Amino acid sequence: SQQGEEDPQALSIQEGENATMNCSYKTSINNLQWYRQNSGRGLVHLILIRSNEREKHSGRLRVTLDTSKKSSSLLITASRAADTASYFCATDAGGTSYGKLTFGQGTILTVHP
Amino acid sequence: DTAVSQTPKYLVTQMGNDKSIKCEQNLGHDTMYWYKQDSKKFLKIMFSYNNKELIINETVPNRFSPKSPDKAHLNLHINSLELGDSAVYFCASSRLTGISTGELFFGEGSRLTVL
């Protein structure tokens, strides 16, 4: 079964608003990563948070990780039309899954100008 | 310079044909991957090579055969193509730290359409 489940599946907001996307997973992890995919393009890495970290920031991005609830959230503040894309969480479970990232089904974010 | 480049970007072919997708990375990474993204955007790992050695081989039909001639290249050959093989195939590379998987660098994808 799929490791990551993302919520919501689609999110539509106005420019300047904040966007929050959630990711839940099933097994213990070494780290969790977030990626962005623009339409017709490859995935681009946004941020990595380790299992012993609770929060991480990068520019307008804020990621939280709650290992007790097996969940993470990605917050994009002051969104821009250029943030329109699909956003994926991916988990690194380590162990026998070493070298393998398992992706969620993604959240489609639309930011209206 | 493109970090991870894959060719061709688009591939349209008939059922039963054999086709190949090539991937090259100039990042000096020791690990390369093939992922498949279906029409619902679900991304699933197929194979992973570390220093030319296969380390991940998910449940993929043996019609799919990866080949890594050196650690900068990972090609994917598909025999006897089927309709269900239609998807976007992504090549990616990363460093493995020894205990965890770092960030992946993806190519732009190769969209395969089987008619």
Side-chain angles (χ1 to χ4, degrees):
Chain A
S1 64
Q2 198 169 326
Q3 168 75 321
E5 304 260 338
E6 296 191 52
D7 160 54
Q9 289 192 357
L11 181 60
S12 182
I13 59 174
Q14 295 295 126
E15 223 170 17
E17 294 180 342
N18 295 341
T20 300
M21 289 159 265
N22 302 297
C23 168
S24 59
Y25 57 92
K26 294 184 173 68
T27 66
S28 62
I29 59 171
N30 282 336
N31 67 61
L32 185 144
Q33 304 179 29
W34 285 90
Y35 289 81
R36 183 187 76 231
Q37 184 180 32
N38 290 86
S39 181
R41 306 296 298 272
L43 282 78
V44 174
H45 181 265
L46 294 176
I47 199 163
L48 181 154
I49 186 165
R50 294 184 173 78
S51 60
N52 61 353
E53 297 175 310
R54 291 297 165 256
E55 188 170 313
K56 207 159 180 182
H57 297 254
S58 177
R60 294 184 295 114
L61 305 181
R62 173 178 168 250
V63 167
T64 61
L65 179 64
D66 187 334
T67 53
S68 66
K69 294 181 179 176
K70 292 187 168 59
S71 68
S72 174
S73 68
L74 170 67
L75 167 68
I76 304 174
T77 59
S79 63
R80 304 166 182 167
D83 294 329
T84 294
S86 294
Y87 291 82
F88 295 87
C89 67
T91 51
D92 170 28
T96 56
S97 298
Y98 178 62
K100 169 182 164 183
L101 284 188
T102 303
F103 284 79
Q105 83 272 23
T107 293
I108 300 171
L109 173 66
T110 304
V111 181
H112 300 279
Chain B
D1 262 355
T2 305
V4 180
S5 58
Q6 50 182 115
T7 56
K9 189 169 173 64
Y10 299 98
L11 200 49
V12 180
T13 189
Q14 300 287 331
M15 257 193 336
N17 284 350
D18 304 339
K19 289 294 176 187
S20 292
I21 307 171
K22 294 186 175 182
C23 179
E24 176 181 2
Q25 56 96 2
N26 63 5
L27 297 167
H29 290 162
D30 45 22
T31 307
M32 296 183 72
Y33 310 80
W34 280 111
Y35 277 82
K36 178 182 179 181
Q37 187 172 46
D38 64 21
S39 58
K40 295 183 179 177
K41 299 254 181 151
F42 178 49
L43 201 67
K44 185 169 168 54
I45 191 167
M46 300 173 69
F47 302 103
S48 172
Y49 272 75
N50 179 256
N51 281 320
K52 302 195 298 175
E53 181 184 340
L54 182 67
I55 58 170
I56 293 174
N57 184 351
E58 291 292 281
T59 311
V60 177
N62 57 17
R63 298 182 295 103
F64 290 79
S65 50
K67 189 166 284 187
S68 181
D70 55 62
K71 71 175 195 177
H73 295 84
L74 180 62
N75 303 323
L76 182 65
H77 187 75
I78 315 169
N79 289 327
S80 304
L81 279 157
E82 299 177 357
L83 293 177
D85 297 332
S86 295
V88 182
Y89 292 84
F90 285 98
C91 177
S93 71
S94 75
R95 283 195 183 85
L96 288 183
T97 66
I99 55 171
S100 65
T101 306
E103 69 176 277
L104 265 56
F105 291 77
F106 282 84
E108 290 291 287
S110 296
R111 180 176 293 277
L112 172 65
T113 303
V114 182
L115 303 174

